[in-house]
C-alpha cells in the first residue's frame, strides 16, 4: 500500500508570495492533518480535514488555510509569506481521525522563504 | 492545549530494554495516549496508542498507569535504529493532538 505523498518536496519563495502544498493520503484514509515543524517551536498542529470538512484548527493566523477534496487529497495554502513561515510542513493521514487512530506521516515539504 | 511531561533526553545501551516515561496528569477518561517517534530527517512515525489497558505491538509495549496520569513506552530490545525523538501525546477533548518537545533517545553501541 502506498504511503502518504507530499508535493513538492522542496520549495523556495520570497516574502509576500503565496504557496500551495499538496498531500495525497493513504488509500481509504479520510482524515488528513497538517503540521508545521521548526527548530524553535517543534511540531505544531495546523488543521485537520475529514470528509472535505475542517474538523479542527490550531493556533495559526488566517493566512494559513486548507481544503480537502472528495478523493481525500488535501492542499494547504499560505498567503503573504513571511520569513517565519520557513519550516517543514508535514501532512498525516489516518483512517477516521487523529484522536483515536494512528496517523501516517508523509516526508514533508521543506519551505524556505527569502 | 494538552500537556505532557517527558525527559528531554535519555540514553540506553544497544540490545537492552528502554523505558520512556510520560506524565499526563490532565488527561480525561476518553483521551487516547499516543506515542510517535521521529528519526533524523524523517517525518514522525506511529509507534503505539492506548486508552486504559496495556498495549503491545510489534514495535513496543505501552504500560498505562491505573489512574491514567502517566504511561511508559517500552522498547524491549533497543537497536541503533531506535535512536529518535519520542513524543507522548494525547488529544484534549476537542480531538486536537498537540506534540510537545519529546524525549531524544540515544542508543549506545
Amino acid at each position: 500500500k502506498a504511503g502518504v505523498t507530499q508535493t513538492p518536496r522542496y520549495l523556495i519563495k520570497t516574502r509576500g508570495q503565496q504557496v500551495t502544498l499538496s498531500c495525497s493520503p493513504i488509500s481509504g484514509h479520510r482524515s488528513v492533518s497538517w503540521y508545521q515543524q521548526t527548530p524553535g517551536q517543534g511540531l505544531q498542529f495546523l488543521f485537520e480535514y475529514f470528509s472535505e470538512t475542517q474538523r479542527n484548527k490550531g493556533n495559526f493566523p488566517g493566512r494559513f488555510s486548507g481544503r480537502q477534496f472528495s478523493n481525500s487529497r488535501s492542499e494547504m495554502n499560505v498567503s503573504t509569506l513571511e520569513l517565519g513561515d520557513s519550516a517543514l510542513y508535514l501532512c498525516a493521514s489516518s483512517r477516521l481521525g487523529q484522536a483515536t487512530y494512528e496517523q501516517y506521516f508523509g516526508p514533508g515539504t521543506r519551505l524556505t522563504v527569502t | 492545549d494538552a500537556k505532557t511531561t517527558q525527559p528531554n533526553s535519555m540514553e540506553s545501551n544497544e540490545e537492552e530494554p528502554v523505558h520512556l516515561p510520560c506524565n499526563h496528569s490532565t488527561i480525561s477518561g476518553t483521551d487516547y495516549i499516543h506515542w510517535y517517534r521521529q528519526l533524523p530527517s524523517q517525518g514522525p512515525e506511529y509507534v503505539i496508542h492506548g486508552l486504559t489497558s496495556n498495549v503491545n505491538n510489534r514495535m513496543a509495549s505501552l504500560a498505562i498507569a491505573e489512574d491514567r496520569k502517566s504511561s511508559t513506552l517500552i522498547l524491549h530490545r533497543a537497536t541503533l535504529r531506535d535512536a529518535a525523538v519520542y513524543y507522548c501525546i494525547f488529544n484534549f477533548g476537542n480531538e486536537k493532538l498537540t506534540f510537545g518537545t519529546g524525549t531524544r533517545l540515544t542508543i549506545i553501541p
Side-chain angles (χ1 to χ4, degrees):
Chain A
K1 197 165 147 159
V4 178
T5 58
Q6 292 187 246
T7 56
R9 292 292 311 278
Y10 302 91
L11 206 49
I12 300 175
K13 292 284 190 178
T14 55
R15 273 182 300 176
Q17 287 187 312
Q18 69 138 18
V19 66
T20 299
L21 311 181
S22 181
C23 171
S24 293
I26 291 172
S27 177
H29 285 193
R30 292 167 61 186
S31 165
V32 174
S33 297
W34 288 89
Y35 296 84
Q36 181 196 66
Q37 186 169 35
T38 59
Q41 298 296 319
L43 198 60
Q44 293 189 289
F45 171 77
L46 280 156
F47 27 66
E48 180 190 13
Y49 284 87
F50 182 82
S51 293
E52 302 179 64
T53 301
Q54 187 180 86
R55 187 151 71 175
N56 283 298
K57 191 176 190 304
N59 298 321
F60 279 81
R63 300 185 296 108
F64 292 82
S65 63
R67 60 178 176 168
Q68 186 180 33
F69 302 95
S70 58
N71 62 358
S72 293
R73 189 177 70 83
S74 177
E75 289 181 347
M76 70 161 279
N77 183 275
V78 187
S79 62
T80 320
L81 283 165
E82 301 176 0
L83 294 178
D85 297 332
S86 294
L88 180 67
Y89 290 88
L90 292 156
C91 156
S93 78
S94 70
R95 196 157 61 88
L96 291 175
Q98 57 162 218
T100 53
Y101 292 86
E102 58 266 35
Q103 296 184 89
Y104 296 89
F105 283 78
T109 294
R110 173 77 60 189
L111 172 65
T112 302
V113 182
T114 61
Chain B
D1 280 347
K3 176 71 174 176
T4 60
T5 305
Q6 299 178 255
N8 288 331
S9 62
M10 290 182 64
E11 286 185 350
S12 180
N13 293 320
E14 194 178 9
E15 298 187 5
E16 290 187 357
V18 182
H19 291 236
L20 296 162
C22 180
N23 288 318
H24 30 78
S25 58
T26 61
I27 197 169
S28 77
T30 58
D31 294 336
Y32 279 79
I33 300 155
H34 302 253
W35 284 81
Y36 286 81
R37 70 181 185 182
Q38 189 168 21
L39 280 66
S41 303
Q42 294 187 26
E45 175 186 36
Y46 167 80
V47 178
I48 200 166
H49 76 292
L51 185 61
T52 55
S53 305
N54 294 343
V55 185
N56 300 294
N57 66 20
R58 63 174 180 82
M59 286 182 69
S61 295
L62 176 59
I64 301 172
E66 198 170 328
D67 63 5
R68 297 200 347 112
K69 293 187 186 304
S70 66
S71 62
T72 302
L73 178 71
I74 303 165
L75 306 178
H76 295 288
R77 195 166 167 268
T79 68
L80 294 177
R81 196 197 171 276
D82 292 322
V85 177
Y86 285 78
Y87 298 97
C88 162
I89 55 178
F90 66 96
N91 60 303
F92 192 51
N94 61 357
E95 301 191 16
K96 186 169 67 180
L97 291 182
T98 302
F99 285 71
T101 53
T103 296
R104 183 172 298 278
L105 176 65
T106 301
I107 304 298
I108 302 167

